Amino acid sequence: MHKNINLIPVILAGGIGSRLWPLSRKSFPKQFLNLNNEKYSLLQETQIRLKGIKNLEPPIIVCNEEHRFIVAEQMRAINITPKAIILEPLAKNTGPAIAISALRAMEDSNNPCLLVLSADHSIKDIKQFHKSISVGIKEALNDRLVTFGVVPTFPEVGYGYIESKKAITDDNLEAVKVNKFIEKPNREIAEELIKDRRYTWNSGMFLFKSSKIIEELDKYEPELLKRCKKSVEGISKDLDFERLNKNTFKNCKKISIDCAVMEKTVDGSVIPLYAEWNDLGSWEALWKTAEKDADGNVSIGNVIKDNVKNSYLRSEKRLIATQDIENLIVIETSDSIFIGNKNTSQKVKNIVDKLKKKNASEASIHREIYRPWGHYLSIEEGRRWQIKKIVVNPGASLSLQMHHHRAEHWIVVKGTAKVEINEEKSILSENQSAYIPLGATHRLSNPGKVPLILIEVQSGSYLGEDDIVRIKDLYGR
């Protein structure tokens, strides 16, 4: 690569990924999922594929406040300590996120280059990816704003396009000046664009010096930059996280970096990317990137097929049995089943919108909810009762808390539980139980070295998660 050039990855890990419903939801979006039987989540893969790049610094990760513990835990699992995990109090698109990351990067380093990445992309040819980054660093050092253009292989209508000043030749990684950006086209226009070698797909990945993107933001969106500076100045530390000043950040303009800078600057360059890139934005995109059987099917989980072709079938819990179908998406989760046409799978957002109008919890929340101490699964519920499976990580502890409207009964099925009820402490092992009366102060901990699994039975007039009064909490909630 290049001597004495610090490269900081900026990983944008916000977003809900509603086009991959019912697997991806607001409570646990696609960037944190292991898709197509991969060992790591998309977020983890985004960091792992950078291994081998010289002078690479720890990443700056920008994410939703709600997902902070998921991000921290997934980075810990791959032995990465981020330079910063910046929490957005609300989504404002990529413009403010990148501006804040550049300002934050300048605090710790001497004008590093920033490699802006989305946490939900698939890139299979890592060697070619690294080659494009190497060319991009050289271009960025000449005060260019680099974007990576994927050479199109079919008329995709789900991506924006980049028009370069001259045609891109096969396997030539030369940087070319950007002429203009084009919004997602219809099918007819996309079919024309891919005939012209000046056009590439806009990958949404960028590379530039911190000072250069700040300079261009000051030129084209000075008010946005001003508010971002105030947001960074008001950052407060919270454990391993950095919280932006909410009152300032909420006034930031909601705008993409493309609209804020890239479509206006005269210093834009595009570098072709031949790295088997894919934006995993739909079930059809996942089908395209996954391994298929002889009939073109992707089968994950407990799936039985008879005369099935070109379909994506995924079971999380129960058996999926399919017969005499083709070009379908079938997704089963603990609380939902989605069946749709593979070729129009991006329209699943319409289903999510309808669920939201009905205030259905399935629109945004999984039955399995992740917390910094572990996770819980809602098994069954009635009007005044609910049953949950709770898994507490070794050494972890829930908050010291109480409830106004419910009592709880805990039954240990695996591991050891430390239980505190009204300051009285006890140790429970398998098949032992504890009763927590309504209004009692209580805490659950796992003092052991294996996960603690217990069944919780709640009963009362109100069972919502907002009936938790936290008295002491290790995680600052």
Side-chain angles (χ1 to χ4, degrees), residues 112-365:
C113 284
L114 303 181
L115 175 62
V116 179
L117 304 167
S118 175
D120 57 1
H121 290 173
S122 168
I123 296 176
K124 293 189 175 180
D125 193 334
I126 307 303
K127 188 175 180 181
Q128 281 294 328
F129 180 51
H130 286 193
K131 284 182 179 179
S132 292
I133 290 172
S134 183
V135 176
I137 290 175
K138 291 178 182 177
E139 189 75 356
L141 292 177
N142 290 324
D143 278 337
R144 304 292 296 177
L145 300 173
V146 174
T147 184
F148 296 92
V150 179
V151 178
T153 52
F154 57 92
E156 174 62 62
V157 298
Y159 305 149
Y161 286 67
I162 303 167
E163 181 188 294
S164 53
K165 293 282 188 181
K166 62 179 184 178
I168 290 173
T169 55
D170 285 337
D171 298 324
N172 187 343
L173 296 185
E174 174 190 3
V176 181
K177 286 185 178 182
V178 172
N179 190 38
K180 66 179 179 180
F181 284 74
I182 298 170
E183 291 295 317
K184 297 175 183 178
N186 59 33
R187 175 71 60 177
E188 185 179 352
I189 293 175
E191 287 175 351
E192 288 301 313
L193 293 180
I194 66 167
K195 297 175 184 177
D196 190 330
R197 297 305 300 268
R198 292 177 300 156
Y199 294 96
T200 53
W201 290 333
N202 182 3
S203 70
M205 298 187 293
F206 307 96
L207 205 164
F208 31 63
K209 289 195 297 191
S210 300
S211 60
K212 181 62 178 178
I213 190 63
I214 291 171
E215 176 187 315
E216 295 296 278
L217 281 162
D218 193 33
K219 184 185 299 183
Y220 298 112
E221 288 288 343
E223 187 61 30
L224 173 64
L225 182 63
K226 179 182 175 182
R227 293 187 186 279
C228 287
K229 283 180 177 178
K230 286 186 177 180
S231 297
V232 171
E233 289 168 2
I235 277 178
S236 59
K237 295 281 187 177
D238 177 6
L239 301 175
D240 296 329
F241 312 108
E242 299 185 9
R243 291 181 178 273
L244 296 171
N245 184 302
K246 184 174 183 177
N247 290 331
T248 307
F249 188 74
K250 71 180 181 181
N251 293 319
C252 285
K253 186 177 182 180
K254 188 173 185 178
I255 189 172
S256 69
I257 196 66
D258 297 63
C259 293
V261 172
M262 299 305 294
E263 293 177 3
K264 301 170 183 175
T265 184
V266 296
D267 296 327
S269 297
V270 58
I271 292 173
L273 187 64
Y274 301 91
E276 296 181 62
W277 171 92
N278 202 301
D279 175 8
L280 300 180
S282 68
W283 289 116
E284 183 183 18
L286 270 179
W287 174 81
K288 286 177 181 175
T289 60
E291 283 191 31
K292 304 172 188 66
D293 63 21
D295 292 317
N297 298 308
V298 176
S299 302
I300 297 173
N302 192 6
V303 175
I304 296 293
K305 306 183 297 293
D306 179 37
N307 190 30
V308 175
K309 295 180 181 179
N310 300 320
S311 295
Y312 186 102
L313 314 169
R314 185 183 188 112
S315 163
E316 295 294 298
K317 303 288 183 183
R318 294 161 290 183
L319 169 68
I320 291 178
T322 52
Q323 188 174 60
D324 296 337
I325 63 170
E326 60 180 299
N327 293 319
L328 288 187
I329 302 292
V330 182
I331 311 296
E332 178 274 339
T333 69
S334 60
D335 63 354
S336 302
I337 297 172
F338 170 69
I339 303 170
N341 187 304
K342 176 165 60 67
N343 298 329
T344 57
S345 63
Q346 294 202 22
K347 290 167 62 178
V348 72
K349 292 177 72 174
N350 298 342
I351 296 290
V352 177
D353 290 340
K354 289 182 179 182
L355 287 169
K356 286 179 179 177
K357 287 178 181 178
K358 292 176 62 178
N359 291 319
S361 61
E362 291 88 349
S364 57
I365 299 172

Side-chain angles (χ1 to χ4, degrees), residues 67-77 80 85 240-241:
H67 304 136
R68 62 194 186 279
F69 294 112
I70 302 172
V71 170
E73 174 58 26
Q74 292 201 352
M75 288 295 102
R76 185 204 61 76
I80 294 294
I85 300 176
D240 296 329
F241 312 108

